[in-house]
PDB file of all heavy atoms in Angstrom:
ATOM      1  N   GLY W 141      -9.104  15.915  -5.240  1.00  0.00           N
ATOM      2  CA  GLY W 141     -10.516  16.266  -5.053  1.00  0.00           C
ATOM      3  C   GLY W 141     -11.042  17.118  -6.205  1.00  0.00           C
ATOM      4  O   GLY W 141     -12.114  16.844  -6.758  1.00  0.00           O
ATOM      5  N   PRO W 142     -10.294  18.178  -6.608  1.00  0.00           N
ATOM      6  CA  PRO W 142     -10.777  18.980  -7.735  1.00  0.00           C
ATOM      7  C   PRO W 142     -10.929  18.174  -9.023  1.00  0.00           C
ATOM      8  O   PRO W 142     -11.814  18.482  -9.838  1.00  0.00           O
ATOM      9  CB  PRO W 142      -9.685  20.058  -7.883  1.00  0.00           C
ATOM     10  CG  PRO W 142      -9.098  20.182  -6.503  1.00  0.00           C
ATOM     11  CD  PRO W 142      -9.116  18.783  -5.953  1.00  0.00           C
ATOM     12  N   SER W 143     -10.105  17.131  -9.201  1.00  0.00           N
ATOM     13  CA  SER W 143     -10.277  16.289 -10.396  1.00  0.00           C
ATOM     14  C   SER W 143     -11.651  15.633 -10.368  1.00  0.00           C
ATOM     15  O   SER W 143     -12.349  15.557 -11.381  1.00  0.00           O
ATOM     16  CB  SER W 143      -9.229  15.160 -10.439  1.00  0.00           C
ATOM     17  OG  SER W 143      -7.953  15.692 -10.320  1.00  0.00           O
ATOM     18  N   LEU W 144     -12.028  15.143  -9.168  1.00  0.00           N
ATOM     19  CA  LEU W 144     -13.324  14.465  -9.058  1.00  0.00           C
ATOM     20  C   LEU W 144     -14.470  15.442  -9.311  1.00  0.00           C
ATOM     21  O   LEU W 144     -15.463  15.094  -9.945  1.00  0.00           O
ATOM     22  CB  LEU W 144     -13.451  13.805  -7.681  1.00  0.00           C
ATOM     23  CG  LEU W 144     -12.370  12.741  -7.420  1.00  0.00           C
ATOM     24  CD1 LEU W 144     -12.311  12.360  -5.958  1.00  0.00           C
ATOM     25  CD2 LEU W 144     -12.616  11.507  -8.268  1.00  0.00           C
ATOM     26  N   LEU W 145     -14.304  16.682  -8.847  1.00  0.00           N
ATOM     27  CA  LEU W 145     -15.350  17.686  -9.104  1.00  0.00           C
ATOM     28  C   LEU W 145     -15.440  17.987 -10.596  1.00  0.00           C
ATOM     29  O   LEU W 145     -16.536  18.116 -11.161  1.00  0.00           O
ATOM     30  CB  LEU W 145     -15.062  18.971  -8.329  1.00  0.00           C
ATOM     31  CG  LEU W 145     -15.038  18.855  -6.802  1.00  0.00           C
ATOM     32  CD1 LEU W 145     -14.760  20.202  -6.164  1.00  0.00           C
ATOM     33  CD2 LEU W 145     -16.350  18.300  -6.281  1.00  0.00           C
ATOM     34  N   GLY W 146     -14.282  18.075 -11.250  1.00  0.00           N
ATOM     35  CA  GLY W 146     -14.269  18.295 -12.703  1.00  0.00           C
ATOM     36  C   GLY W 146     -14.932  17.148 -13.435  1.00  0.00           C
ATOM     37  O   GLY W 146     -15.701  17.339 -14.381  1.00  0.00           O
ATOM     38  N   ILE W 147     -14.660  15.927 -12.951  1.00  0.00           N
ATOM     39  CA  ILE W 147     -15.247  14.732 -13.583  1.00  0.00           C
ATOM     40  C   ILE W 147     -16.766  14.707 -13.373  1.00  0.00           C
ATOM     41  O   ILE W 147     -17.515  14.294 -14.261  1.00  0.00           O
ATOM     42  CB  ILE W 147     -14.563  13.450 -13.043  1.00  0.00           C
ATOM     43  CG1 ILE W 147     -13.099  13.410 -13.500  1.00  0.00           C
ATOM     44  CG2 ILE W 147     -15.303  12.189 -13.495  1.00  0.00           C
ATOM     45  CD1 ILE W 147     -12.240  12.394 -12.782  1.00  0.00           C
ATOM     46  N   HIS W 148     -17.227  15.173 -12.178  1.00  0.00           N
ATOM     47  CA  HIS W 148     -18.685  15.255 -11.965  1.00  0.00           C
ATOM     48  C   HIS W 148     -19.338  16.084 -13.077  1.00  0.00           C
ATOM     49  O   HIS W 148     -20.437  15.803 -13.532  1.00  0.00           O
ATOM     50  CB  HIS W 148     -19.033  15.980 -10.661  1.00  0.00           C
ATOM     51  CG  HIS W 148     -18.615  15.258  -9.408  1.00  0.00           C
ATOM     52  ND1 HIS W 148     -18.370  13.921  -9.348  1.00  0.00           N
ATOM     53  CD2 HIS W 148     -18.410  15.720  -8.144  1.00  0.00           C
ATOM     54  CE1 HIS W 148     -18.016  13.585  -8.123  1.00  0.00           C
ATOM     55  NE2 HIS W 148     -18.042  14.653  -7.375  1.00  0.00           N
ATOM     56  N   GLU W 149     -18.639  17.157 -13.491  1.00  0.00           N
ATOM     57  CA  GLU W 149     -19.227  18.097 -14.453  1.00  0.00           C
ATOM     58  C   GLU W 149     -19.230  17.555 -15.879  1.00  0.00           C
ATOM     59  O   GLU W 149     -20.177  17.785 -16.623  1.00  0.00           O
ATOM     60  CB  GLU W 149     -18.439  19.423 -14.444  1.00  0.00           C
ATOM     61  CG  GLU W 149     -18.428  20.164 -13.121  1.00  0.00           C
ATOM     62  CD  GLU W 149     -19.756  20.845 -12.821  1.00  0.00           C
ATOM     63  OE1 GLU W 149     -20.506  21.109 -13.768  1.00  0.00           O
ATOM     64  OE2 GLU W 149     -20.040  21.085 -11.637  1.00  0.00           O
ATOM     65  N   THR W 150     -18.126  16.869 -16.243  1.00  0.00           N
ATOM     66  CA  THR W 150     -17.946  16.576 -17.676  1.00  0.00           C
ATOM     67  C   THR W 150     -17.758  15.106 -18.022  1.00  0.00           C
ATOM     68  O   THR W 150     -17.665  14.769 -19.207  1.00  0.00           O
ATOM     69  CB  THR W 150     -16.700  17.324 -18.218  1.00  0.00           C
ATOM     70  OG1 THR W 150     -15.649  17.151 -17.290  1.00  0.00           O
ATOM     71  CG2 THR W 150     -16.953  18.782 -18.441  1.00  0.00           C
ATOM     72  N   GLY W 151     -17.671  14.215 -17.019  1.00  0.00           N
ATOM     73  CA  GLY W 151     -17.336  12.832 -17.342  1.00  0.00           C
ATOM     74  C   GLY W 151     -15.845  12.712 -17.581  1.00  0.00           C
ATOM     75  O   GLY W 151     -15.098  13.692 -17.427  1.00  0.00           O
ATOM     76  N   LEU W 152     -15.390  11.523 -17.955  1.00  0.00           N
ATOM     77  CA  LEU W 152     -13.946  11.326 -18.125  1.00  0.00           C
ATOM     78  C   LEU W 152     -13.676  10.428 -19.334  1.00  0.00           C
ATOM     79  O   LEU W 152     -13.874   9.209 -19.258  1.00  0.00           O
ATOM     80  CB  LEU W 152     -13.345  10.690 -16.857  1.00  0.00           C
ATOM     81  CG  LEU W 152     -11.823  10.640 -16.801  1.00  0.00           C
ATOM     82  CD1 LEU W 152     -11.215  12.021 -16.617  1.00  0.00           C
ATOM     83  CD2 LEU W 152     -11.353   9.722 -15.682  1.00  0.00           C
ATOM     84  N   PRO W 153     -13.234  11.024 -20.465  1.00  0.00           N
ATOM     85  CA  PRO W 153     -12.850  10.176 -21.596  1.00  0.00           C
ATOM     86  C   PRO W 153     -11.486   9.549 -21.321  1.00  0.00           C
ATOM     87  O   PRO W 153     -10.459  10.198 -21.457  1.00  0.00           O
ATOM     88  CB  PRO W 153     -12.782  11.170 -22.774  1.00  0.00           C
ATOM     89  CG  PRO W 153     -12.647  12.515 -22.161  1.00  0.00           C
ATOM     90  CD  PRO W 153     -13.042  12.441 -20.720  1.00  0.00           C
ATOM     91  N   THR W 154     -11.484   8.308 -20.885  1.00  0.00           N
ATOM     92  CA  THR W 154     -10.231   7.694 -20.448  1.00  0.00           C
ATOM     93  C   THR W 154     -10.109   6.261 -20.955  1.00  0.00           C
ATOM     94  O   THR W 154     -10.934   5.808 -21.763  1.00  0.00           O
ATOM     95  CB  THR W 154     -10.115   7.768 -18.906  1.00  0.00           C
ATOM     96  OG1 THR W 154      -8.773   7.456 -18.527  1.00  0.00           O
ATOM     97  CG2 THR W 154     -11.082   6.837 -18.203  1.00  0.00           C
ATOM     98  N   CYS W 155      -9.125   5.553 -20.497  1.00  0.00           N
ATOM     99  CA  CYS W 155      -8.904   4.157 -20.910  1.00  0.00           C
ATOM    100  C   CYS W 155      -7.997   3.519 -19.868  1.00  0.00           C
ATOM    101  O   CYS W 155      -7.689   4.139 -18.859  1.00  0.00           O
ATOM    102  CB  CYS W 155      -8.267   4.125 -22.299  1.00  0.00           C
ATOM    103  SG  CYS W 155      -6.578   4.750 -22.304  1.00  0.00           S
TER     104      CYS W 155
END
Side-chain angles (χ1 to χ4, degrees):
S143 307
L144 299 166
L145 298 181
I147 293 166
H148 294 339
E149 299 286 337
T150 45
L152 190 70
T154 193
C155 69

